[in-house]
Amino acid sequence: MNDTKPAPGNAATPAQVRIFDTTLRDGEQSPGCSMTPRQKVVMARALAGLGVDVIETGFPASSESDREAARLIAREVRTPVLAVLSRCLPADIEASARALDGAARPRLHVFISTSALHREHKLRMSKAQVLDTAAACVAQARGFVDDVEFSTEDGTRTEREFLAEVVGAAIAAGATTINVPDTLGYTTPEEMRALFAHLIATVPGAREVVFSAHCHDDLGMAVANSLAAIEGGARQVECTINGIGERAGNCAMEELVMALKVRGAWYNADTGIDTRQLVPASKLLSRLVGMPVQRNKAVVGANAFAHESGIHQHGMLRHRGTYEIMNPEDVGWPASKMVLGRHSGRAAVSHRLRALGYTLGEGQLDQAFAGFKALCERQRVVEDRDLEALMHGDIRGDGFRLASMTVSDRGQRASAEIELSDPDGRSIGKRALGDGPVDALFSALAAATGVDLQLESYQVHSVGIGADARGEANLSVRCGDDAWEGTGTSTDVIEASALAWLDIANRVLRARQLQPQRQAAHA
Ligand code: MN
């Protein structure tokens, strides 16, 4: 086995690859992943803790929610560069510049489609028009900030000569980062490596800017293509936590970062990521958007370090290296667990919250610790799930909240009576009948919220031990064409079911609010 190969140019020190995280933009705009501005702030803090170089916080022209998130993050997150996306339209770029007002390190990211298909059918523009528009919008963006990234949408399906021309025009107009996206997840590693090497070698000024890859996973090659772009000379990779993003998703940050780390001698490149924060960030995102990580997912899946077969277990006991190429602790899986309860102090609670992805300021920690103490009055042991529920309740944001519920199943049919407060704080009461208590409950919730969810699976199990046990309900539903999952936790399983149902309904409503605005922006 050949572990190493000569580095390009035989550089003595590993090349530094910038990590540009787009979880809050490309990730968030995918079905089932919408987040409130407050949730985005929580995630942005975790990304800063991970050590990402750039956070793309949104697409300000697409919705008021994106604008608010960009403004809140600009106020609270000061270390990484903060980027926002705009089409090549003067009004979009102005809205983006305003959203970045006050940011410590602002970046404007502008894009235009370059492929023949997109030019003809989406933009209805000639090559010359695309070229002029690209240069004009980069120049406009440079009027606001010094840090401007330019992207050639559908770049990998663009005629190579024309792509080089557009990239050259953007560099001449002042772009400092050039991103060549594989928007449709169509390219292959060898093609990607050759494309980047060609552009960097031939476009005037290319060596003065940073080249960036943005790969989608439609053929399962997003990470491989991003690594190939690095071999071709790219020094920035755009990625997301858990690989969320449009359609099959984006390049998964945890996979790319660990590939560069484990095979550092091969790639001769590294990132500034604190790999111990990868699992916490993955868990946090999964919780915020309600999208579970598949068990066999690389690095952050529950099975990524599980050894079931006897032969593997035997090997592992003799020498860990027989069946593991990474240490679970190095990517943030906990080595051992302390029990949290009444006698635990602030430091222990803060430490555990960090392991769950929550990076808190002093004031926020005070509040979380007070919540923890209150929980200890009711139960002996506080589990991770309890802490997550505590934090989640605090950042859930606007939506329907459960005020009270009564369920009875005496007589022929069960009945449920609920009271909710709506997003404006008004109270709504409904009563419904059903074949069982849960059926009646869900009917009442549907009547009160106006959201119709088709139940696909419903599971209840207990978490915790003995008198402290709490019920957790997991729901999978369909709403129109989309699948959603939700979780609720309570000392009462019926209430846990209601909370899981509302968790989904609130996210469905939020997605509906965002959709028309975004479609208008993408038109
Ligand atoms: Mn994308």
Side-chain angles (χ1 to χ4, degrees), residues 349-371:
V349 173
S350 160
H351 183 264
R352 180 66 62 80
L353 283 169
R354 258 205 314 279
L356 294 171
Y358 296 96
T359 313
L360 303 182
E362 275 303 301
Q364 294 155 330
L365 183 58
D366 286 341
Q367 209 181 337
F369 190 60

Side-chain angles (χ1 to χ4, degrees), residues 22 25-27 29 56 85 153 179 181-184 214-216 238 245-247 249-250:
T22 186
R25 201 280 299 165
D26 206 321
Q29 74 192 35
E56 186 162 58
L85 186 66
E153 187 178 11
N179 181 45
D182 184 34
T183 307
L184 277 301
H214 175 112
C215 298
H216 278 270
E238 304 197 355
E246 296 268 20
R247 305 181 312 280
N250 287 69

Side-chain angles (χ1 to χ4, degrees), residues 379 386 389 402 405 460-463 468-473 487-499:
Q379 56 192 79
D386 298 321
L402 186 65
M405 52 173 273
V460 182
H461 55 266
S462 84
V463 292
D468 295 328
R470 292 156 73 81
E472 183 181 278
T487 303
T489 316
S490 166
T491 44
D492 173 74
V493 290
I494 304 284
E495 186 178 292
S497 309
L499 294 175

